Amino acid sequence: MSSFAPDHPESVFTYGAPQLKFGRGARHEIAHDLAQLGARRALVVTDPHVAATGTPAELVSSIEQSGGEAVLYDRSRIEPTDGSLIDAVEFARAAAPFDAVIAFGGGSSIDTAKAVNLLLTNDGELMDYVNAPVGGGRAPEHPLLPLIAVPTTTGTGSESTTICVLDVVSQHVKSGISHARLRPAFAVVDPELTMTQPSGVTAAAGLDILCHALESYTARPYTSYERKQAHERVPYCGANPIADLWAEKSLTLMADSFRAAVRHGDDERAREQMALAATFAGLGFGNAGVHIPHANAYPIAGQVPEGFRPRGYEADHAMVPHGMAVSLTAPAAFAFTFDADPARHLRAAHLLDPGVRTDDPAELLPTVLRSIMRDVGIPNGLSEIGFGADDVPALVEGTLKQQRLLATAPKSVTEDAAAAILSSSLELW
């Protein structure tokens, strides 16, 4: 299984998840759900594009018709930065107090809501809480408000997780805030909200689902760590039997629905299957953790060359969508991790494509991933979004800052290993 041999192997794993409501039309019950939490005044966090659809305003209206009060913040930035999160926090603090926070949008809006919730209930500034060494790594001292997360994209899993991701502009790197108290209290997953999602967004978000499931499934097993004391436990505890079940089911659902949802956005069954897959993957990786592809994705997104605009995103700034950034190094990463647990890598490949064959078993999962990426229109490697060989050292430096993620990898990731993975990812096919 793993190359790690602890003197005192861990014997305990942890599992956490939000209360969940899933299904078409589930969003229409949010006002009732809010009342059940005992909340009368809520902050609704969304982004301009989702706000333009009118659905957040409908939610505000339904809350008010039910006797509550809602304040709408519609300036969440796609791929949040430290600056955009501070803007949201300042707005929320000025409009406080609130009894609950509702995130209505993609992972960016949900992550923005998590940061707002953290800093509405705990003192200090944003960078105090960002993971070390990028930030101070401070843990919240006080409980947060109930957070209801309503995803409008299928991919991030942020409605299930304890993680808030942001771009720290001054350091040209993405990082995050990670603590169990950030996990939403309630996830409302309504596949109808994803029906108008552009194909490019569906493709990038879907690769995020796949990598969540694959990384949690191939993560270091929880038994490979040294035994922890109760106060030492963190949300990412390594691959474990419960997270494995969610990951396997997510891969099975994606094998059946992903390409169809990208090609035919009005396919209700495919959209629903993808929404389930995203939820399942989130319930898995939110406990097991993710590793190398996500660690690479942070500097890729943080150092994106000026001029790149992804298909399907109305971005006024250079950006690499998170799922795209994660996927671009996934084939090389899984070739690297193969020998840590060949059986898991082979099973994952066959769940996604039962008929796949290669001469080299280590290339089976990378082959499946490259085929999917080509079919859904993901760029052909880092070079297609503007990176070259000269950029690899800076990307490696950014990757090695993500020790919280790399600690979950099934093999130790050295500077040379990271450089080889990123260099192999400049061109994929």
Side-chain angles (χ1 to χ4, degrees), residues 49-423:
H49 302 299
V50 174
T53 68
T55 47
E58 291 174 4
L59 172 60
V60 169
S61 178
S62 69
I63 291 170
E64 292 173 344
Q65 290 172 11
S66 298
E69 183 182 353
V71 175
L72 181 65
Y73 176 81
D74 62 2
R75 301 201 301 267
S76 293
R77 186 182 192 271
I78 306 302
E79 304 297 333
T81 65
D82 47 350
S84 75
L85 294 184
I86 290 169
D87 178 78
V89 168
E90 290 176 346
F91 175 94
R93 284 175 168 171
F98 297 103
D99 304 315
V101 179
I102 301 173
F104 198 107
S108 296
S109 290
I110 298 173
D111 285 1
T112 299
K114 288 176 178 176
V116 166
N117 197 10
L118 171 65
L119 289 163
L120 276 176
T121 51
N122 288 266
D123 61 11
E125 301 303 325
L126 180 72
M127 291 303 296
D128 295 338
Y129 295 93
V130 172
N131 296 325
V134 177
R138 177 176 167 183
E141 298 177 13
H142 306 295
L144 277 60
L145 298 172
L147 172 59
I148 299 177
V150 190
T152 59
T153 60
T154 43
T156 71
S158 187
E159 70 278 3
S160 299
T161 71
T162 62
I163 313 300
C164 161
V165 177
L166 67 150
D167 185 353
V168 181
V169 175
S170 63
Q171 298 187 40
H172 303 287
V173 69
K174 275 190 182 286
S175 187
I177 302 171
S178 176
H179 193 275
R181 284 180 169 164
L182 268 65
R183 193 190 310 275
F186 205 131
V188 178
V189 183
D190 185 341
E192 287 182 351
L193 291 172
T194 71
M195 295 298 291
T196 58
Q197 185 174 272
S199 63
V201 178
T202 303
L207 265 301
D208 202 18
I209 298 173
L210 287 182
C211 289
H212 286 154
L214 291 168
E215 289 173 61
S216 68
Y217 194 59
T218 58
R220 282 181 65 174
Y222 75 97
T223 53
S224 72
Y225 292 88
E226 286 288 340
R227 188 178 306 152
K228 296 180 179 67
Q229 299 298 311
H231 68 278
E232 297 174 319
R233 301 202 180 280
V234 294
Y236 281 4
C237 66
N240 62 79
I242 295 179
D244 288 350
L245 291 173
W246 293 119
E248 289 183 354
K249 184 61 176 176
S250 178
L251 294 173
T252 302
L253 289 167
M254 287 296 285
D256 190 46
S257 64
F258 185 21
R259 290 177 174 89
V262 172
R263 293 169 180 165
H264 307 288
D266 57 353
D267 185 328
E268 292 185 0
R269 179 181 178 277
R271 289 292 195 185
E272 189 164 22
Q273 295 287 87
M274 266 197 76
L276 264 180
T279 300
F280 288 178
L283 292 169
F285 92 87
N287 294 276
V290 288
H291 52 84
I292 299 170
H294 272 74
N296 290 335
Y298 286 176
I300 289 169
Q303 300 174 31
V304 57
E306 184 57 44
F308 180 73
R309 298 292 188 275
R311 179 174 59 90
Y313 288 80
E314 297 178 22
D316 59 1
H317 54 280
M319 62 168 286
V320 184
H322 176 65
M324 181 185 293
V326 170
S327 71
L328 288 171
T329 65
F334 290 119
F336 170 75
T337 59
F338 176 80
D339 58 1
D341 192 341
R344 282 199 174 225
H345 288 69
L346 296 175
R347 174 158 172 73
H350 285 121
L351 286 172
L352 285 171
D353 183 355
V356 66
R357 298 287 185 272
T358 64
D359 293 334
D360 180 0
E363 279 297 312
L364 201 68
L365 182 54
T367 296
V368 171
L369 284 173
R370 284 191 290 265
S371 174
I372 293 171
M373 292 167 71
R374 280 198 306 270
D375 287 351
V376 300
I378 295 296
N380 180 17
L382 295 173
S383 60
E384 195 166 312
I385 63 174
F387 289 104
D390 291 345
D391 299 308
V392 169
L395 293 175
V396 169
E397 181 181 356
T399 293
L400 294 179
K401 288 183 178 181
Q402 311 304 322
Q403 289 301 316
R404 178 183 62 84
L405 303 180
L406 295 177
T408 315
K411 293 172 62 176
S412 295
V413 182
T414 64
E415 182 176 348
D416 287 346
I421 291 168
L422 286 156
S423 296

